[in-house]
Amino acid sequence: MRHRCRYFSVAQNNWNARKGLVLGVYESEEEDDSLHLTESAAGVNRVLSGKLTELLKISGPGLKKGKSRIFYGLHEDFPCIAVVGLGRNSLGVCGTEYWDTCKENIRAAIAGGCRVLQNHVLTHIEVDGCNDSQSAAEGAVLGLFTYDDLKTKKKTRVTTQLHGSGCVSGWEKGVLYGEGQNLARYLMEAPANHVTPSVFADTITNRLAPYADHVIVHKRSQEWIEEQQMGAFLSVSKGSEEPPVFLELHYNGCPDNAQCPLLLVGKGITFDSGGISLKPPSGMDAMRADMGGAATVCSAIITAAALNLPINIIGLAPLCENMPSGKANKPGDVVTAKNGKTIQVDNTDAEGRLILADALCYAHSFNPRAIVNAATLTGAMDVALGSAATGVFTNSDWLWEQLHKASVVTGDRVWRMPLFQHYTRQVTDCQLADLNNVGKYSRSGGACTAAAFLREFVTAPHWAHLDIAGVMTNKDEVPYLKKGMSGRPTRTLVEFAAGLSYRLLPK
């Protein structure tokens, strides 16, 4: 039976086949409510004989940054047009916010406009490039992401494209940046029983299949991990029935250069119960994203391959679960890392640094010019910085400058943290072993003592540890990301690698 309904126009029959449009307007540089259309918006306004500006004027006061208005039936090809406020066009890099304000305004505005049109069940949206097609694309792709794979009722799937004659290459680059972060969000958001260590490894392998001509993937088994004498990694994994996997990615984007300039390491705890030092149940479900370091690192390498960046990157992701069982680490146990150092495990919930210790030791076998590791490592980092920025601990001023420069472009900021000997003494003053996996003063400076612990397994002159625990989730802090796992700082890692691909690394 056909449902009885009344259509108000013939066009309504083809609603889902028609397109939506997002256009941007800038605030006036003067203290008034006047608006300045972007180039694309001005073009549409001309086609409509000035109807767009007329409606904007009579529909309320000036359109402020991040606000939007929806107009219906104005354009033959677009049943819905969302006009979004971009703020002032004159804004650039802000010395106090450490980002490009104009780029951030574009990302937020475009994301908001695309979401409004998605709620109108439109399946295709054209987007104003707003004089910065890459930022507009990032806003559109990131703003439309949702994880509803396991729901019966799903959000409308929306495709986007650049409207008008903007920079197509910038748009395509922004789409890849956004899709890279969305892959990390997808992996972090998925339940732990759906993304086990082996499933994680298979997912990354499948995503890299189109780039098989210049990417090699190794899925190392538990037997290989044992052969490498990664005692710290194995001690964490033995509490779970899921076998560990050591994922190794080789992206060869510069075949004429045998030297590996960049090595990325990501913590891959696919679920962290705390082990015997069991976490409180409230919020423990978020620990499905404790593999956020591995997710961002692997997603960044996939994005680098899609962009065909002229750089060689090796990615390492030790993957396992941290579970309580009769075989799990017990407080006071001593384990031996790959480099022969012994570690007293006083807190089994400080497991991420154990698996990273062995991965960092293995990383040095490739003689890299620079090592960057990412990990949702400490709650102390969330306390220190919240979700504003990723904490960076590094022994290299040069490496810090490159990471900071990249984060200003992406708006996904980083902040340098101290790597003092003050903290090293707190992890080396140990009763039973060479190191303790927690600082002697417990929670005081917890993020700093964790970084000091990792430094004991690093000899490379250019190393950075990114503690991403604070930026792991998003509530309402980043307007172009919905509530949930954030996938940060994937875009910053990609922009960092892209920057290195066009300059020589120091020896």
Side-chain angles (χ1 to χ4, degrees):
M1 291 180 60
R2 294 182 60 187
H3 294 285
R4 293 184 179 182
C5 58
R6 179 180 179 183
Y7 294 116
F8 291 95
S9 70
V10 175
Q12 184 71 29
N13 285 300
N14 298 318
W15 180 273
N16 288 335
R18 310 283 299 275
K19 298 177 289 188
L21 177 62
V22 179
L23 298 173
V25 295
Y26 293 106
E27 291 180 22
S28 172
E29 299 296 327
E30 308 297 332
E31 295 299 325
D32 57 37
D33 286 337
S34 62
L35 297 172
H36 300 279
L37 304 182
T38 63
E39 183 179 341
S40 292
V44 171
N45 190 51
R46 285 192 296 271
V47 170
L48 298 176
S49 303
K51 190 68 173 177
L52 183 63
T53 52
E54 180 184 339
L55 287 175
L56 282 169
K57 288 178 181 178
I58 66 176
S59 61
L63 199 59
K64 298 298 182 181
K65 178 186 71 175
K67 301 299 182 180
S68 63
R69 293 196 186 127
I70 310 299
F71 301 106
Y72 305 95
L74 273 182
H75 198 290
E76 181 180 359
D77 295 329
F78 304 104
C80 286
I81 297 178
V83 181
V84 297
L86 303 173
R88 294 184 177 181
N89 191 26
S90 60
L91 301 175
V93 175
C94 178
T96 54
E97 291 293 332
Y98 290 96
W99 63 22
D100 188 312
T101 305
C102 192
K103 289 180 181 293
E104 280 296 282
N105 289 349
I106 291 171
R107 293 182 186 109
I110 295 299
C114 286
R115 286 174 187 159
V116 168
L117 296 185
Q118 183 184 38
N119 290 337
H120 283 73
V121 202
L122 296 177
T123 59
H124 186 77
I125 300 173
E126 292 194 12
V127 177
D128 183 351
C130 303
N131 301 319
D132 186 345
S133 297
Q134 180 178 343
S135 296
E138 290 174 12
V141 173
L142 293 169
L144 289 169
F145 171 82
T146 187
Y147 181 86
D148 57 7
D149 285 22
L150 305 177
K151 293 184 177 182
T152 53
K153 186 176 181 180
K154 303 182 187 300
K155 273 278 192 180
T156 302
R157 292 294 182 259
V158 179
T159 58
T160 59
Q161 75 177 67
L162 179 65
H163 177 77
S165 58
C167 178
V168 176
S169 61
W171 174 268
E172 292 173 346
K173 183 179 178 181
V175 168
L176 291 175
Y177 271 53
E179 289 178 344
Q181 183 166 343
N182 283 349
L183 173 57
R185 294 165 82 183
Y186 178 89
L187 290 166
M188 295 168 71
E189 198 70 76
N193 63 328
H194 286 257
V195 178
T196 61
S198 59
V199 171
F200 184 105
D202 289 341
T203 301
I204 297 300
T205 301
N206 293 336
R207 291 297 186 107
L208 284 169
Y211 316 108
D213 57 332
H214 53 288
V215 180
I216 300 172
V217 179
H218 298 290
K219 290 183 287 185
R220 310 293 194 183
S221 66
Q222 180 169 336
E223 182 180 6
W224 180 90
I225 299 169
E226 291 170 351
E227 290 173 356
Q228 292 293 317
Q229 298 181 322
M230 296 183 175
F233 179 21
L234 287 167
S235 75
V236 176
S237 66
K238 67 185 181 181
S240 172
E241 295 181 2
E242 289 287 338
V245 177
F246 193 95
L247 187 61
E248 185 176 323
L249 312 176
H250 292 252
Y251 167 63
N252 188 16
C254 191
D256 295 333
N257 184 359
Q259 171 69 39
C260 168
L262 179 60
L263 204 145
L264 302 178
V265 183
K267 171 190 170 186
I269 301 292
T270 57
F271 188 77
D272 178 22
S273 68
I276 299 299
S277 305
L278 195 67
K279 294 178 181 289
S282 177
M284 193 194 288
D285 64 300
M287 289 300 98
R288 67 187 184 275
D290 206 28
M291 29 62 74
T296 56
V297 162
C298 293
S299 298
I301 292 176
I302 292 171
T303 306
L307 291 165
N308 199 27
L309 293 183
I311 186 174
N312 298 332
I313 308 174
I314 292 179
L316 306 177
L319 301 161
C320 70
E321 294 179 337
N322 181 32
M323 301 293 287
S325 80
K327 297 180 180 179
N329 276 335
K330 303 173 290 295
D333 281 0
V334 174
V335 299
T336 305
K338 180 175 171 60
N339 66 351
K341 288 189 177 182
T342 55
I343 304 166
Q344 181 175 333
V345 183
D346 273 358
N347 187 341
T348 67
D349 193 24
E351 84 298 332
R353 64 201 71 182
L354 297 178
I355 71 169
L356 285 175
D358 281 336
L360 288 170
C361 291
Y362 180 64
H364 286 76
S365 64
F366 298 100
N367 191 30
R369 293 285 186 90
I371 300 174
V372 176
N373 71 260
T376 51
L377 205 63
T378 64
M381 180 52 65
D382 184 30
V383 173
L385 296 181
S387 59
T390 293
V392 176
F393 300 82
T394 180
N395 60 359
S396 168
D397 292 340
W398 172 86
L399 194 51
W400 159 250
E401 290 171 3
Q402 305 311 312
L403 286 165
H404 179 251
K405 186 184 300 183
S407 76
V408 170
V409 174
T410 64
D412 197 1
R413 297 171 293 190
V414 296
W415 187 260
R416 192 169 188 177
M417 300 290 289
L419 197 61
F420 302 149
Q421 286 296 316
H422 173 91
Y423 301 112
T424 300
R425 289 190 289 272
Q426 294 182 31
V427 294
T428 56
D429 184 2
C430 180
Q431 182 180 2
L432 302 177
D434 298 323
L435 296 166
N436 199 305
N437 77 326
V438 288
K440 64 186 293 185
Y441 301 122
S442 186
R443 299 177 63 185
S444 298
C448 301
T449 54
F453 177 91
L454 292 180
R455 190 181 192 181
E456 292 300 298
F457 300 90
V458 174
T459 58
H462 303 289
W463 162 71
H465 158 54
L466 277 57
D467 193 332
I468 64 174
V471 301
M472 182 181 80
T473 60
N474 187 68
K475 294 180 279 294
D476 56 6
E477 303 95 330
V478 182
Y480 48 87
L481 301 177
K482 294 179 181 178
K483 180 180 179 180
M485 302 306 169
S486 71
R488 298 168 65 188
T490 303
R491 288 181 300 115
T492 293
L493 289 173
V494 176
E495 183 67 21
F496 165 67
L500 294 189
S501 65
Y502 300 107
R503 64 174 64 90
L504 292 175
L505 282 162
K507 294 184 178 180

mmCIF file of all heavy atoms in Angstrom, residues 36-71:
data_model
loop_
_atom_site.group_PDB
_atom_site.id
_atom_site.type_symbol
_atom_site.label_atom_id
_atom_site.label_comp_id
_atom_site.label_asym_id
_atom_site.label_seq_id
_atom_site.Cartn_x
_atom_site.Cartn_y
_atom_site.Cartn_z
ATOM 1 N N HIS A 36 29.801 40.497 4.946
ATOM 2 C CA HIS A 36 30.547 40.447 3.695
ATOM 3 C C HIS A 36 30.544 39.008 3.193
ATOM 4 O O HIS A 36 31.048 38.102 3.869
ATOM 5 C CB HIS A 36 31.975 40.942 3.909
ATOM 6 C CG HIS A 36 32.046 42.356 4.401
ATOM 7 N ND1 HIS A 36 31.936 43.440 3.563
ATOM 8 C CD2 HIS A 36 32.165 42.863 5.660
ATOM 9 C CE1 HIS A 36 32.013 44.567 4.267
ATOM 10 N NE2 HIS A 36 32.144 44.236 5.554
ATOM 11 N N LEU A 37 29.969 38.811 2.027
ATOM 12 C CA LEU A 37 29.863 37.476 1.470
ATOM 13 C C LEU A 37 31.200 36.978 0.969
ATOM 14 O O LEU A 37 32.026 37.755 0.476
ATOM 15 C CB LEU A 37 28.857 37.466 0.308
ATOM 16 C CG LEU A 37 27.440 37.966 0.595
ATOM 17 C CD1 LEU A 37 26.590 37.831 -0.659
ATOM 18 C CD2 LEU A 37 26.807 37.194 1.737
ATOM 19 N N THR A 38 31.420 35.680 1.079
ATOM 20 C CA THR A 38 32.579 35.074 0.437
ATOM 21 C C THR A 38 32.377 35.123 -1.071
ATOM 22 O O THR A 38 31.283 35.442 -1.571
ATOM 23 C CB THR A 38 32.756 33.608 0.871
ATOM 24 O OG1 THR A 38 31.608 32.865 0.433
ATOM 25 C CG2 THR A 38 32.900 33.486 2.369
ATOM 26 N N GLU A 39 33.410 34.775 -1.799
ATOM 27 C CA GLU A 39 33.325 34.805 -3.264
ATOM 28 C C GLU A 39 32.220 33.883 -3.779
ATOM 29 O O GLU A 39 31.433 34.259 -4.663
ATOM 30 C CB GLU A 39 34.668 34.389 -3.859
ATOM 31 C CG GLU A 39 34.716 34.449 -5.378
ATOM 32 C CD GLU A 39 36.079 34.060 -5.931
ATOM 33 O OE1 GLU A 39 37.069 34.099 -5.177
ATOM 34 O OE2 GLU A 39 36.152 33.704 -7.129
ATOM 35 N N SER A 40 32.134 32.669 -3.221
ATOM 36 C CA SER A 40 31.098 31.729 -3.652
ATOM 37 C C SER A 40 29.705 32.222 -3.277
ATOM 38 O O SER A 40 28.757 32.110 -4.066
ATOM 39 C CB SER A 40 31.336 30.354 -3.036
ATOM 40 O OG SER A 40 32.487 29.749 -3.564
ATOM 41 N N ALA A 41 29.573 32.748 -2.069
ATOM 42 C CA ALA A 41 28.276 33.257 -1.627
ATOM 43 C C ALA A 41 27.836 34.439 -2.491
ATOM 44 O O ALA A 41 26.651 34.571 -2.838
ATOM 45 C CB ALA A 41 28.336 33.661 -0.164
ATOM 46 N N ALA A 42 28.789 35.303 -2.848
ATOM 47 C CA ALA A 42 28.468 36.436 -3.708
ATOM 48 C C ALA A 42 28.006 35.965 -5.082
ATOM 49 O O ALA A 42 27.093 36.552 -5.680
ATOM 50 C CB ALA A 42 29.683 37.345 -3.844
ATOM 51 N N GLY A 43 28.621 34.888 -5.590
ATOM 52 C CA GLY A 43 28.207 34.337 -6.874
ATOM 53 C C GLY A 43 26.779 33.824 -6.838
ATOM 54 O O GLY A 43 25.992 34.045 -7.760
ATOM 55 N N VAL A 44 26.434 33.118 -5.769
ATOM 56 C CA VAL A 44 25.058 32.621 -5.616
ATOM 57 C C VAL A 44 24.099 33.794 -5.475
ATOM 58 O O VAL A 44 23.000 33.788 -6.048
ATOM 59 C CB VAL A 44 24.952 31.691 -4.387
ATOM 60 C CG1 VAL A 44 23.506 31.342 -4.092
ATOM 61 C CG2 VAL A 44 25.769 30.426 -4.610
ATOM 62 N N ASN A 45 24.512 34.824 -4.742
ATOM 63 C CA ASN A 45 23.650 36.000 -4.554
ATOM 64 C C ASN A 45 23.356 36.677 -5.883
ATOM 65 O O ASN A 45 22.234 37.146 -6.118
ATOM 66 C CB ASN A 45 24.333 36.970 -3.590
ATOM 67 C CG ASN A 45 23.406 38.095 -3.147
ATOM 68 O OD1 ASN A 45 22.288 37.854 -2.709
ATOM 69 N ND2 ASN A 45 23.887 39.330 -3.281
ATOM 70 N N ARG A 46 24.349 36.715 -6.782
ATOM 71 C CA ARG A 46 24.125 37.319 -8.098
ATOM 72 C C ARG A 46 23.114 36.507 -8.901
ATOM 73 O O ARG A 46 22.239 37.058 -9.573
ATOM 74 C CB ARG A 46 25.450 37.429 -8.857
ATOM 75 C CG ARG A 46 26.361 38.534 -8.362
ATOM 76 C CD ARG A 46 27.506 38.792 -9.320
ATOM 77 N NE ARG A 46 28.393 37.642 -9.428
ATOM 78 C CZ ARG A 46 29.437 37.428 -8.641
ATOM 79 N NH1 ARG A 46 29.707 38.286 -7.660
ATOM 80 N NH2 ARG A 46 30.208 36.374 -8.817
ATOM 81 N N VAL A 47 23.252 35.177 -8.842
ATOM 82 C CA VAL A 47 22.307 34.309 -9.551
ATOM 83 C C VAL A 47 20.885 34.538 -9.032
ATOM 84 O O VAL A 47 19.904 34.483 -9.796
ATOM 85 C CB VAL A 47 22.711 32.829 -9.385
ATOM 86 C CG1 VAL A 47 21.612 31.900 -9.901
ATOM 87 C CG2 VAL A 47 24.016 32.549 -10.097
ATOM 88 N N LEU A 48 20.768 34.822 -7.739
ATOM 89 C CA LEU A 48 19.460 35.019 -7.120
ATOM 90 C C LEU A 48 19.022 36.481 -7.133
ATOM 91 O O LEU A 48 18.063 36.858 -6.448
ATOM 92 C CB LEU A 48 19.495 34.516 -5.674
ATOM 93 C CG LEU A 48 19.796 33.030 -5.483
ATOM 94 C CD1 LEU A 48 19.894 32.694 -4.008
ATOM 95 C CD2 LEU A 48 18.715 32.179 -6.145
ATOM 96 N N SER A 49 19.740 37.312 -7.898
ATOM 97 C CA SER A 49 19.388 38.733 -8.043
ATOM 98 C C SER A 49 19.335 39.460 -6.704
ATOM 99 O O SER A 49 18.450 40.283 -6.450
ATOM 100 C CB SER A 49 18.044 38.879 -8.773
ATOM 101 O OG SER A 49 18.090 38.252 -10.038
ATOM 102 N N GLY A 50 20.275 39.115 -5.817
ATOM 103 C CA GLY A 50 20.386 39.799 -4.535
ATOM 104 C C GLY A 50 19.436 39.313 -3.461
ATOM 105 O O GLY A 50 19.388 39.876 -2.357
ATOM 106 N N LYS A 51 18.700 38.231 -3.744
ATOM 107 C CA LYS A 51 17.717 37.739 -2.786
ATOM 108 C C LYS A 51 18.371 37.234 -1.501
ATOM 109 O O LYS A 51 17.812 37.369 -0.406
ATOM 110 C CB LYS A 51 16.905 36.601 -3.427
ATOM 111 C CG LYS A 51 15.699 36.155 -2.619
ATOM 112 C CD LYS A 51 14.632 37.226 -2.562
ATOM 113 C CE LYS A 51 13.372 36.700 -1.893
ATOM 114 N NZ LYS A 51 12.337 37.753 -1.771
ATOM 115 N N LEU A 52 19.585 36.674 -1.613
ATOM 116 C CA LEU A 52 20.256 36.119 -0.429
ATOM 117 C C LEU A 52 20.577 37.209 0.582
ATOM 118 O O LEU A 52 20.282 37.085 1.776
ATOM 119 C CB LEU A 52 21.527 35.379 -0.847
ATOM 120 C CG LEU A 52 22.306 34.683 0.274
ATOM 121 C CD1 LEU A 52 21.454 33.593 0.910
ATOM 122 C CD2 LEU A 52 23.613 34.090 -0.257
ATOM 123 N N THR A 53 21.187 38.304 0.114
ATOM 124 C CA THR A 53 21.522 39.391 1.035
ATOM 125 C C THR A 53 20.261 40.045 1.598
ATOM 126 O O THR A 53 20.225 40.464 2.753
ATOM 127 C CB THR A 53 22.397 40.444 0.343
ATOM 128 O OG1 THR A 53 21.750 40.849 -0.879
ATOM 129 C CG2 THR A 53 23.770 39.906 0.019
ATOM 130 N N GLU A 54 19.242 40.108 0.770
ATOM 131 C CA GLU A 54 17.984 40.695 1.233
ATOM 132 C C GLU A 54 17.408 39.898 2.397
ATOM 133 O O GLU A 54 16.996 40.473 3.421
ATOM 134 C CB GLU A 54 16.984 40.733 0.067
ATOM 135 C CG GLU A 54 15.632 41.325 0.426
ATOM 136 C CD GLU A 54 14.652 41.260 -0.725
ATOM 137 O OE1 GLU A 54 15.090 41.143 -1.885
ATOM 138 O OE2 GLU A 54 13.433 41.316 -0.453
ATOM 139 N N LEU A 55 17.398 38.572 2.261
ATOM 140 C CA LEU A 55 16.854 37.735 3.332
ATOM 141 C C LEU A 55 17.737 37.764 4.577
ATOM 142 O O LEU A 55 17.237 37.700 5.701
ATOM 143 C CB LEU A 55 16.690 36.297 2.835
ATOM 144 C CG LEU A 55 15.546 36.060 1.845
ATOM 145 C CD1 LEU A 55 15.568 34.620 1.337
ATOM 146 C CD2 LEU A 55 14.207 36.369 2.492
ATOM 147 N N LEU A 56 19.034 37.837 4.374
ATOM 148 C CA LEU A 56 19.932 37.917 5.518
ATOM 149 C C LEU A 56 19.674 39.191 6.329
ATOM 150 O O LEU A 56 19.729 39.174 7.565
ATOM 151 C CB LEU A 56 21.391 37.872 5.057
ATOM 152 C CG LEU A 56 21.950 36.496 4.682
ATOM 153 C CD1 LEU A 56 23.300 36.639 4.002
ATOM 154 C CD2 LEU A 56 22.065 35.597 5.913
ATOM 155 N N LYS A 57 19.382 40.272 5.646
ATOM 156 C CA LYS A 57 19.153 41.546 6.333
ATOM 157 C C LYS A 57 17.848 41.546 7.119
ATOM 158 O O LYS A 57 17.772 42.102 8.215
ATOM 159 C CB LYS A 57 19.147 42.681 5.315
ATOM 160 C CG LYS A 57 20.523 42.995 4.749
ATOM 161 C CD LYS A 57 20.438 44.095 3.695
ATOM 162 C CE LYS A 57 21.820 44.401 3.111
ATOM 163 N NZ LYS A 57 21.747 45.434 2.043
ATOM 164 N N ILE A 58 16.803 40.917 6.536
ATOM 165 C CA ILE A 58 15.501 40.989 7.200
ATOM 166 C C ILE A 58 15.266 39.844 8.187
ATOM 167 O O ILE A 58 14.286 39.849 8.917
ATOM 168 C CB ILE A 58 14.357 40.992 6.157
ATOM 169 C CG1 ILE A 58 14.301 39.656 5.400
ATOM 170 C CG2 ILE A 58 14.512 42.151 5.188
ATOM 171 C CD1 ILE A 58 13.135 39.565 4.438
ATOM 172 N N SER A 59 16.201 38.876 8.218
ATOM 173 C CA SER A 59 15.980 37.708 9.086
ATOM 174 C C SER A 59 16.568 37.878 10.476
ATOM 175 O O SER A 59 16.480 36.968 11.304
ATOM 176 C CB SER A 59 16.568 36.452 8.441
ATOM 177 O OG SER A 59 17.962 36.596 8.250
ATOM 178 N N GLY A 60 17.191 39.020 10.745
ATOM 179 C CA GLY A 60 17.717 39.230 12.081
ATOM 180 C C GLY A 60 18.991 40.040 12.062
ATOM 181 O O GLY A 60 19.447 40.502 11.004
ATOM 182 N N PRO A 61 19.624 40.216 13.219
ATOM 183 C CA PRO A 61 20.886 40.965 13.295
ATOM 184 C C PRO A 61 22.005 40.229 12.570
ATOM 185 O O PRO A 61 21.835 39.094 12.135
ATOM 186 C CB PRO A 61 21.158 41.057 14.801
ATOM 187 C CG PRO A 61 20.424 39.885 15.382
ATOM 188 C CD PRO A 61 19.203 39.706 14.524
ATOM 189 N N GLY A 62 23.142 40.885 12.456
ATOM 190 C CA GLY A 62 24.262 40.307 11.733
ATOM 191 C C GLY A 62 24.598 38.898 12.187
ATOM 192 O O GLY A 62 24.495 38.570 13.365
ATOM 193 N N LEU A 63 25.008 38.066 11.253
ATOM 194 C CA LEU A 63 25.302 36.658 11.542
ATOM 195 C C LEU A 63 26.663 36.548 12.219
ATOM 196 O O LEU A 63 27.701 36.801 11.608
ATOM 197 C CB LEU A 63 25.285 35.862 10.235
ATOM 198 C CG LEU A 63 25.125 34.345 10.339
ATOM 199 C CD1 LEU A 63 23.832 33.991 11.051
ATOM 200 C CD2 LEU A 63 25.141 33.726 8.942
ATOM 201 N N LYS A 64 26.664 36.173 13.473
ATOM 202 C CA LYS A 64 27.898 36.092 14.239
ATOM 203 C C LYS A 64 28.635 34.782 13.986
ATOM 204 O O LYS A 64 28.073 33.818 13.441
ATOM 205 C CB LYS A 64 27.602 36.229 15.738
ATOM 206 C CG LYS A 64 26.979 37.561 16.117
ATOM 207 C CD LYS A 64 27.896 38.728 15.795
ATOM 208 C CE LYS A 64 27.284 40.047 16.220
ATOM 209 N NZ LYS A 64 28.162 41.213 15.881
ATOM 210 N N LYS A 65 29.889 34.754 14.400
ATOM 211 C CA LYS A 65 30.741 33.576 14.225
ATOM 212 C C LYS A 65 30.075 32.331 14.788
ATOM 213 O O LYS A 65 29.609 32.303 15.927
ATOM 214 C CB LYS A 65 32.077 33.811 14.937
ATOM 215 C CG LYS A 65 33.035 32.641 14.881
ATOM 216 C CD LYS A 65 34.267 32.905 15.735
ATOM 217 C CE LYS A 65 33.941 32.866 17.207
ATOM 218 N NZ LYS A 65 35.134 33.001 18.069
ATOM 219 N N GLY A 66 30.030 31.268 13.948
ATOM 220 C CA GLY A 66 29.503 29.987 14.398
ATOM 221 C C GLY A 66 27.991 29.859 14.321
ATOM 222 O O GLY A 66 27.458 28.765 14.511
ATOM 223 N N LYS A 67 27.275 30.955 14.039
ATOM 224 C CA LYS A 67 25.822 30.904 13.923
ATOM 225 C C LYS A 67 25.433 30.603 12.477
ATOM 226 O O LYS A 67 26.225 30.779 11.551
ATOM 227 C CB LYS A 67 25.196 32.217 14.380
ATOM 228 C CG LYS A 67 25.530 32.594 15.822
ATOM 229 C CD LYS A 67 25.021 31.559 16.806
ATOM 230 C CE LYS A 67 25.315 31.961 18.244
ATOM 231 N NZ LYS A 67 24.833 30.955 19.219
ATOM 232 N N SER A 68 24.192 30.167 12.276
ATOM 233 C CA SER A 68 23.760 29.831 10.918
ATOM 234 C C SER A 68 22.296 30.176 10.722
ATOM 235 O O SER A 68 21.533 30.290 11.692
ATOM 236 C CB SER A 68 23.978 28.337 10.645
ATOM 237 O OG SER A 68 23.186 27.542 11.509
ATOM 238 N N ARG A 69 21.920 30.351 9.464
ATOM 239 C CA ARG A 69 20.513 30.538 9.086
ATOM 240 C C ARG A 69 20.229 29.650 7.889
ATOM 241 O O ARG A 69 21.079 29.477 7.004
ATOM 242 C CB ARG A 69 20.227 31.993 8.744
ATOM 243 C CG ARG A 69 20.342 32.894 9.958
ATOM 244 C CD ARG A 69 19.714 34.253 9.755
ATOM 245 N NE ARG A 69 20.026 35.077 10.936
ATOM 246 C CZ ARG A 69 20.581 36.275 10.877
ATOM 247 N NH1 ARG A 69 20.859 36.816 9.713
ATOM 248 N NH2 ARG A 69 20.827 36.942 11.987
ATOM 249 N N ILE A 70 19.027 29.102 7.859
ATOM 250 C CA ILE A 70 18.623 28.198 6.795
ATOM 251 C C ILE A 70 17.548 28.870 5.952
ATOM 252 O O ILE A 70 16.583 29.430 6.500
ATOM 253 C CB ILE A 70 18.065 26.873 7.359
ATOM 254 C CG1 ILE A 70 19.021 26.293 8.394
ATOM 255 C CG2 ILE A 70 17.831 25.864 6.229
ATOM 256 C CD1 ILE A 70 20.391 25.961 7.886
ATOM 257 N N PHE A 71 17.737 28.801 4.640
ATOM 258 C CA PHE A 71 16.755 29.355 3.711
ATOM 259 C C PHE A 71 16.274 28.249 2.785
ATOM 260 O O PHE A 71 17.065 27.445 2.289
ATOM 261 C CB PHE A 71 17.357 30.507 2.911
ATOM 262 C CG PHE A 71 17.845 31.638 3.770
ATOM 263 C CD1 PHE A 71 19.204 31.846 3.964
ATOM 264 C CD2 PHE A 71 16.953 32.487 4.405
ATOM 265 C CE1 PHE A 71 19.666 32.882 4.763
ATOM 266 C CE2 PHE A 71 17.398 33.523 5.214
ATOM 267 C CZ PHE A 71 18.756 33.720 5.388
#
